[in-house]
């Protein structure tokens, strides 16, 4: 490390995990209303409590929520969302490079596309397994409709939601929808991480851009678009299944079939616009912040290790 700049020193796994979690939380703080709007649009037509309220478009959904439920409603579930990102992003993003290196054959100069996809699937599945309860609570809060101060509120807070779900539905309730969520996040993680990895690599190899903000922005935007296109159908099924009361659907497959029968195949792309706005903006903010945090954390580490 002697004589190297922070940007030239390979970040450690701990730095990557910490940086990914912190960057994801920052991105969530700025884009959470878009995620809540996406959830409301995805469950529209399913939730009986929401039948009197119709949502139209991203901005219309957010404005309707503010008007009918108060200005804080777009941030319902934010605490659980931050819990989720700190554990989820730390694993799926922070461990991606390490898992990719593990799968790369010895002696190979670069990881091929199959290795990158496998690494994305692996870290995505690991992250869901650990962070699923936080996702369940987040979706429950985002999907809950409160029409006025006198309306019933099922959970008094985030920790109460964890306890209530465990008490009423068992600990399995906290892992409800794990399989569709693993499927969804394996797809999303592959689309995000592999696309970002490849675009950034090509831009740097061709010397069109250097390893700075424009390069990170273009790579992250492309990753967000690809992730939205391939993951939207699974995301709709995951949201419907996780938000459903016990007994409504026998399985994620049953949820998918009922969705097609009752609402048609276009229902798989309900909430596509907020999904893209959210994933696109989230990816840009997260990856740009992540790259800067890695450099800052490595600089701090080098200063601590320096004898002078």
């Amino acid at each position: 490390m002697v004589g190297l700049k922070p940007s030239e020193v390979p970040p450690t796994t701990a730095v990557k995990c910490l940086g990914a979690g912190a960057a994801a939380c920052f991105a969530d703080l700025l884009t959470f209303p878009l995620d809540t709007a996406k959830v409301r649009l995805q469950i529209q037509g399913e939730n009986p409590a929401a039948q009197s309220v119709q949502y139209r478009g991203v901005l219309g959904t957010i404005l309707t929520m503010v008007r009918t439920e108060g200005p804080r409603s777009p941030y319902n579930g934010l605490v659980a969302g931050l819990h989720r990102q700190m554990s989820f992003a730390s694993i799926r993003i922070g461990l991606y490079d390490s898992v990719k290196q593990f799968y790369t054959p010895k002696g190979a100069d670069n990881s091929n596309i199959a290795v990158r996809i496998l690494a994305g699937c692996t870290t995505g599945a690991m992250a869901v397994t650990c962070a699923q309860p936080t996702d369940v609570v987040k979706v429950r809060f985002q999907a809950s409709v409160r029409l006025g101060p006198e309306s019933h509120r099922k959970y008094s807070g985030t920790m109460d939601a964890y306890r209530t779900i465990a008490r009423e539905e068992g600990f399995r309730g906290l892992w409800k929808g794990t399989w569709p969520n693993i499927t969804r996040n394996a797809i999303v993680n592959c689309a995000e991480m592999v696309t970002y990895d490849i675009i950034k690599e090509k831009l740097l190899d061709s010397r069109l851009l250097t390893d700075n903000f424009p390069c990170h922005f273009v790579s992250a935007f492309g990753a967000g678009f690809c992730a939205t296109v391939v993951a939207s159908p699974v995301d709709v099924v995951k949201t419907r299944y996780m938000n459903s009361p016990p007994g409504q659907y026998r399985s994620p497959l049953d949820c998918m079939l009922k969705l097609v029968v009752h609402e048609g195949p276009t229902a798989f792309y309900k909430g596509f616009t907020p999904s893209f706005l959210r994933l696109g903006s989230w990816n840009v903010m997260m990856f740009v912040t992540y790259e800067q945090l890695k450099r800052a954390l490595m600089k701090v580490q080098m200063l601590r290790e320096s004898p002078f």
Side-chain angles (χ1 to χ4, degrees):
M1 285 194 196
V2 178
L4 293 177
K5 298 178 181 179
S7 59
E8 298 172 339
V9 179
T12 63
T13 301
V15 164
K16 290 177 183 177
C17 289
L18 180 60
C25 286
F26 174 73
D28 240 31
L29 282 171
L30 299 180
T31 63
F32 202 79
L34 293 173
D35 192 44
T36 303
K38 177 203 73 174
V39 170
R40 292 295 181 92
L41 287 167
Q42 287 177 337
I43 66 170
Q44 186 161 252
E46 177 199 49
N47 192 340
Q51 287 182 355
S52 60
V53 180
Q54 292 296 315
Y55 303 116
R56 296 181 182 278
V58 185
L59 182 60
T61 299
I62 295 174
L63 292 176
T64 299
M65 290 178 63
V66 171
R67 186 178 68 251
T68 58
E69 303 173 52
R72 296 173 61 184
S73 59
Y75 280 92
N76 282 344
L78 176 62
V79 175
L82 296 179
H83 289 174
R84 176 182 180 270
Q85 292 299 351
M86 202 63 219
S87 54
F88 185 71
S90 296
I91 296 172
R92 77 177 184 93
I93 298 171
L95 294 181
Y96 171 77
D97 286 333
S98 298
V99 174
K100 183 176 70 173
Q101 291 172 5
F102 175 78
Y103 286 138
T104 301
K106 291 183 178 179
D109 293 332
N110 293 306
S111 303
N112 58 40
I113 186 68
V115 167
R116 299 182 198 209
I117 290 174
L118 186 58
C121 288
T122 301
T123 56
M126 289 168 58
V128 171
T129 304
C130 297
Q132 181 67 6
T134 63
D135 206 13
V136 171
V137 172
K138 177 182 79 78
V139 168
R140 296 286 179 92
F141 270 104
Q142 289 177 313
S144 63
V145 178
R146 297 187 67 209
L147 302 177
E150 302 300 323
S151 61
H152 175 67
R153 186 175 183 179
K154 188 171 183 180
Y155 310 117
S156 61
T158 304
M159 299 311 296
D160 178 63
Y162 288 119
R163 289 190 295 266
T164 301
I165 294 171
R167 184 175 64 250
E168 294 181 354
E169 303 175 37
F171 280 100
R172 291 181 62 183
L174 289 170
W175 271 268
K176 186 175 185 179
T178 298
W179 286 115
N181 211 11
I182 285 177
T183 304
R184 185 255 183 191
N185 281 292
I187 294 171
V188 169
N189 209 42
C190 285
E192 283 182 354
M193 297 305 300
V194 175
T195 304
Y196 181 83
D197 206 10
I198 291 175
I199 293 176
K200 181 181 174 183
E201 183 180 90
K202 297 301 181 185
L203 289 172
L204 294 177
D205 288 347
S206 62
R207 297 186 179 181
L208 290 173
L209 295 171
T210 56
D211 191 8
N212 54 20
F213 175 79
C215 177
H216 305 155
F217 180 90
V218 172
S219 303
F221 187 83
F225 180 77
C226 290
T228 309
V229 170
V230 300
S232 190
V234 183
D235 193 31
V236 172
V237 173
K238 180 212 77 166
T239 301
R240 290 284 184 99
Y241 187 70
M242 285 169 59
N243 185 56
S244 64
Q248 182 172 352
Y249 303 118
R250 293 191 301 272
S251 66
L253 179 61
D254 180 54
C255 177
M256 181 187 73
L257 294 175
K258 286 182 178 177
L259 186 65
V260 174
V261 170
H262 295 300
E263 301 177 49
T266 57
F268 286 123
Y269 283 91
K270 276 191 171 183
F272 179 83
T273 301
S275 290
F276 172 60
L277 289 176
R278 200 263 174 169
L279 265 180
S281 58
W282 189 93
N283 271 273
V284 169
M285 293 175 190
M286 194 286 298
F287 277 114
V288 170
T289 306
Y290 177 49
E291 296 285 1
Q292 297 305 312
L293 278 176
K294 283 194 297 183
R295 294 181 182 184
L297 289 171
M298 286 308 299
K299 185 176 182 179
V300 171
Q301 183 173 322
M302 289 178 66
L303 288 173
R304 291 180 63 183
E305 293 176 354
S306 174
F308 303 104

